Amino acid sequence: MPLNMTDAVSPPTITRPSSLGRHFGRFELLKLLGKSDGSMVWLVLDPQIQQQLVLTLPRVQPLDAAALERWSAQVKHAARLDHPHLVPGVEVGIQEQWPFLAADRARGVTLGEWLVEHPNTSPVEAVRWVCEVLDGLAFAHESGVAHHDLQLHSLQISETGRVQVMALATASGQGTPATDPAKRGADHATLVEADALRAHREAAERDVLACGLLLHRLLSGAPVLDEPDISKAVRRLPPYGRELVRLPWNTVHPIPEALRAIANRSTAGQARQRYLSARTFLRALQGWLEAEALGGDGPLELMLDRLRTVGALPALAGMSGRVERLAAMDGHHTEEISRHILRDMALTFELLREVNSAQVQGTQASGAAPVLTIRRAIALIGLNGVRQAANGLRQWPGPLSETGAQALRALMDRVRLAGYTAQALRPAGYDAEVVYLVTVLQNLGRLLAQYHFPDEYEQVRVLMRPLPPPADAPKGAPPTPGWSESDASFAVLGIDIEALGAAVARHWGLGDEMLHMIRRLSTDLPVRTPDTDIDVLRITASAANEAVDAASNPSAEPTDAAATNKAVRGGGAARQSVAVRYARSLGLTPKIVQEALVAARDALRTGEPIRTAAPREDMPPVTENPAVAAG
């Protein structure tokens, strides 16, 4: 890579090299492939080798000889990076004090050229391209190199459709000193290193934001904000500007909801809601691609390998021994054994899975209803079957770290609290265990995500939390609402958490009626009067889950026991909102909701189910279904 540093350095200028008529040094200029505020890319012919090259130059000359040397050193380092999605440089040089990077044209055309000939990119193809860009950028960022000016003309695409990132670190402004001379002193080296690390982190974040704008550009088929220069568009978004970017609805191809959420997160108005790095953005898009490739069973297939390896949830310590002792003791009734099993969600789920599987259901009468209680499960498989199920479970905390185990325990306590709240809220005549299990299963996707994807689920919670109002907002302005759980889970995991839980429940053989009951009511829609017992159970479970959510923080899961107890001490406004929402369907009042939460807290502490339904007035009649109502 020849680098001629003997040329005299001219004063700073923003004009193009004087020789850019038909030639640039030895290179014959064939075509301008693209330009932005930071860079320009030319197709040239190198007469020495009689081959076409792609030349990238900054739009602004480095300020002085030292800046030119820094530019050359940084670009040389970047050009040597070896990765399938990075274009290697073939020459780094200087002509008339203008530095340049040459790359091989034989590797492909620019993405801008490709899109002219192949408009209307499909969503899957667009996502695959952005994944390849992110993969290359992630490697570069981890090697200490940022791109600084990601554009359509800085991406090459081969005849087979593989995209590679070109011209790392070549954009204007990269030859400026890293620190202010006024900072120099005894700790100059420390300041230089700190400034360099901060500058690299900020540049990497801008690269990731630029990838988000690239995804929007490919999905919408038009430049974002009508600005072809992606770096200019980046500067119009917070924290640099005030523009907001959301994927339009009138796209050429329909955009699946999950992909729309991912794209919108990548350009979210609050910087902390965006993807943390190229790797996190890449994982979200890869998850969506995998789910899309698997079709309707995508959410289930993404979990199956994990379920086979570590189970749905880890069993609590000592549960297997307790089951053995209970089974060996005389006088223990099925109901008492069931009460102990219900304290362990892992064993509860395993028994429901086993008794509702195709093999067990096949031994029953055709059209038999799903098993909805642990009592019935014990009767079907016997105590020996319960022992075998308990012994086959992964013990607590499974593969989780201490922090992950603490978060899972807190979520389990919150879900159990909701289950006991539902028992207290249920109308008279409905089985306490059935109501409890329906309420718990409405949280199945959340429990699975917390156990199998703890880091990603933490990101979901972060996105759901409200943000402080913008700095320029009027005094007393309300906080910016967090994302909905559906949008946040789509953006992080590429799938909806509710759909994940429903897919696993279907895999366990729970059937359509149970799948209907374990789907929470949408908080955006009014609650209608129930027509059947199935509706009553679903509505009761939804009310209990909303009561626990509303009484604490509706946008975040608790992280410790204190946060769970806070759910019981929620203010009157939270109780009022739930009571009003479910007044017609369940006859609730704020007093009934508060008493149910207090009773649930006591039940959580003792493990004793709430056997008495809360009295209420004007409870609407329903069509009785003894099999569902009584379990």
Side-chain angles (χ1 to χ4, degrees):
M1 295 184 187
L3 180 61
N4 183 2
M5 291 300 296
T6 63
D7 295 335
V9 178
S10 59
T13 177
I14 59 172
T15 61
R16 70 179 188 174
S18 60
S19 60
L20 284 187
R22 293 185 177 179
H23 289 82
F24 176 59
R26 75 176 193 272
F27 302 109
E28 180 184 348
L29 301 178
L30 303 178
K31 181 182 180 182
L32 179 65
L33 300 178
K35 65 178 180 178
S36 63
D37 270 1
S39 63
M40 50 184 165
V41 177
W42 288 84
L43 177 63
V44 303
L45 176 65
D46 185 349
Q48 291 183 355
I49 58 176
Q50 285 300 306
Q51 288 184 4
Q52 290 185 356
L53 299 175
V54 178
L55 235 59
T56 302
L57 297 86
R59 290 294 299 277
V60 177
Q61 278 184 309
L63 296 175
D64 51 32
L68 183 60
E69 185 176 1
R70 282 193 297 271
W71 185 97
S72 300
Q74 191 168 3
V75 172
K76 279 184 175 182
H77 171 58
R80 294 190 187 105
L81 296 180
D82 184 12
H83 188 274
H85 296 299
L86 296 179
V87 177
V90 299
E91 181 179 349
V92 177
I94 296 176
Q95 176 65 39
E96 295 184 0
Q97 292 77 53
W98 281 90
F100 65 86
L101 170 68
D104 190 354
R105 173 66 166 184
R107 289 178 171 270
V109 299
T110 68
L111 188 56
E113 292 176 281
W114 177 280
L115 291 175
V116 171
E117 300 295 329
H118 306 83
N120 302 332
T121 306
S122 72
V124 169
E125 190 172 38
V127 170
R128 182 173 58 79
W129 289 346
V130 176
C131 282
E132 291 172 342
V133 173
L134 287 166
D135 194 23
L137 284 178
F139 179 81
H141 292 166
E142 291 156 6
S143 302
V145 178
H147 193 284
H148 301 285
D149 191 37
L150 191 75
Q151 305 284 349
L152 294 179
H153 60 254
S154 62
L155 301 172
Q156 274 192 333
I157 182 169
S158 68
E159 292 183 356
T160 60
R162 186 178 73 164
V163 173
Q164 294 180 296
V165 180
M166 182 173 60
L168 290 164
T170 57
S172 301
Q174 300 316 306
T176 55
T179 57
D180 189 322
K183 294 182 179 179
R184 293 176 181 173
D187 59 346
H188 173 60
T190 301
L191 290 173
V192 169
E193 183 179 0
D195 284 353
L197 289 174
R198 181 172 60 254
H200 173 67
R201 182 178 64 251
E202 292 172 353
E205 290 174 355
R206 286 193 296 272
D207 282 352
V208 176
L209 179 54
C211 282
L213 293 176
L214 173 64
L215 179 62
H216 278 254
R217 164 69 178 83
L218 295 173
L219 294 176
S220 66
V224 178
L225 302 175
D226 293 323
E227 176 54 72
D229 186 334
I230 292 178
S231 292
K232 278 188 177 180
V234 165
R235 293 195 292 270
R236 292 170 61 180
L237 270 60
Y240 319 105
R242 296 189 176 184
E243 299 275 9
L244 297 178
V245 172
R246 305 282 288 180
L247 196 64
W249 293 99
N250 58 337
T251 53
V252 177
H253 299 282
I255 307 300
E257 185 180 357
L259 179 56
R260 181 177 295 276
I262 293 172
N264 286 337
R265 182 191 174 187
S266 70
T267 58
Q270 293 281 350
R272 84 176 213 187
Q273 291 183 328
R274 298 172 188 155
Y275 290 98
L276 304 178
S277 67
R279 291 283 180 209
T280 56
F281 194 179
L282 175 61
R283 282 197 295 268
L285 290 176
Q286 287 175 332
W288 180 81
L289 281 176
E290 292 172 8
E292 188 72 9
L294 294 168
D297 291 331
L300 173 60
E301 293 296 333
L302 290 174
M303 285 295 303
L304 283 184
D305 287 341
R306 299 278 303 178
L307 292 176
R308 296 188 189 102
T309 303
V310 296
L313 292 173
L316 299 181
M319 175 53 67
S320 179
R322 286 195 291 274
V323 170
E324 289 282 358
R325 289 193 296 274
L326 287 170
M329 293 176 63
D330 294 333
H332 280 280
H333 299 295
T334 298
E335 185 171 345
E336 186 175 357
I337 297 174
S338 171
R339 176 170 55 84
H340 283 276
I341 290 174
L342 284 169
R343 296 181 183 179
D344 190 318
M345 288 186 186
L347 184 54
T348 297
F349 289 160
E350 178 61 19
L351 293 179
L352 288 178
R353 182 202 65 78
E354 187 167 333
V355 298
N356 285 290
S357 65
Q359 291 82 0
V360 173
Q361 287 292 311
T363 65
Q364 302 180 46
S366 176
V371 177
L372 303 182
T373 66
I374 299 302
R375 301 190 307 271
R376 178 63 177 155
I378 295 172
L380 283 172
I381 65 175
L383 291 176
N384 189 51
V386 175
R387 289 193 194 96
Q388 291 178 354
N391 291 331
L393 292 174
R394 185 80 173 263
Q395 296 302 298
W396 186 271
L400 290 176
S401 65
E402 182 178 349
T403 301
Q406 181 182 4
L408 179 59
R409 172 79 76 169
L411 178 57
M412 286 179 167
D413 284 346
R414 182 180 181 132
V415 170
R416 292 177 62 213
L417 180 69
Y420 290 129
T421 302
Q423 289 183 337
L425 292 177
R426 77 188 191 277
Y430 288 85
D431 186 272
E433 189 175 320
V434 173
V435 173
Y436 178 91
L437 285 173
V438 170
T439 307
V440 169
L441 285 167
Q442 283 190 351
N443 294 279
L444 178 59
R446 298 165 187 86
L447 292 162
L448 294 173
Q450 180 66 75
Y451 180 46
H452 295 281
F453 310 110
D455 294 338
E456 289 82 357
Y457 195 50
E458 173 60 25
Q459 292 183 44
V460 171
R461 286 195 293 266
V462 168
L463 290 176
M464 293 171 63
R465 293 173 188 146
L467 295 173
D472 57 352
K475 186 177 180 180
T480 302
W483 290 32
S484 70
E485 183 183 63
S486 177
D487 285 348
S489 58
F490 275 140
V492 176
L493 296 168
I495 54 177
D496 178 53
I497 285 181
E498 288 277 5
L500 179 66
V504 172
R506 183 180 293 278
H507 178 64
W508 288 349
L510 293 183
D512 291 339
E513 286 188 348
M514 193 64 172
L515 291 175
H516 175 74
M517 286 189 285
I518 67 173
R519 190 174 72 251
R520 282 197 198 184
L521 296 179
S522 171
T523 56
D524 297 329
L525 299 174
V527 181
R528 64 178 181 83
T529 303
D531 297 322
T532 66
D533 291 313
I534 291 174
D535 289 336
V536 172
L537 291 170
R538 182 189 179 195
I539 292 172
T540 303
S542 297
N545 278 308
E546 287 182 32
V548 172
D549 286 348
S552 54
N553 182 349
S555 302
E557 302 287 356
T559 56
D560 51 32
T564 299
N565 287 333
K566 182 182 177 182
V568 178
R569 302 193 301 270
R575 296 193 300 272
Q576 180 75 19
S577 65
V578 175
V580 169
R581 178 166 156 77
Y582 289 92
R584 290 174 60 87
S585 58
L586 294 178
L588 298 187
T589 65
K591 180 181 178 181
I592 291 176
V593 173
Q594 174 62 8
E595 289 176 348
L597 288 167
V598 171
R601 179 192 57 190
D602 294 338
L604 181 64
R605 185 181 66 253
T606 64
E608 294 290 337
I610 299 175
R611 303 182 185 280
T612 305
R616 79 280 316 272
E617 298 178 0
D618 301 324
M619 174 63 199
V622 298
T623 303
E624 290 298 332
N625 183 340
V628 173

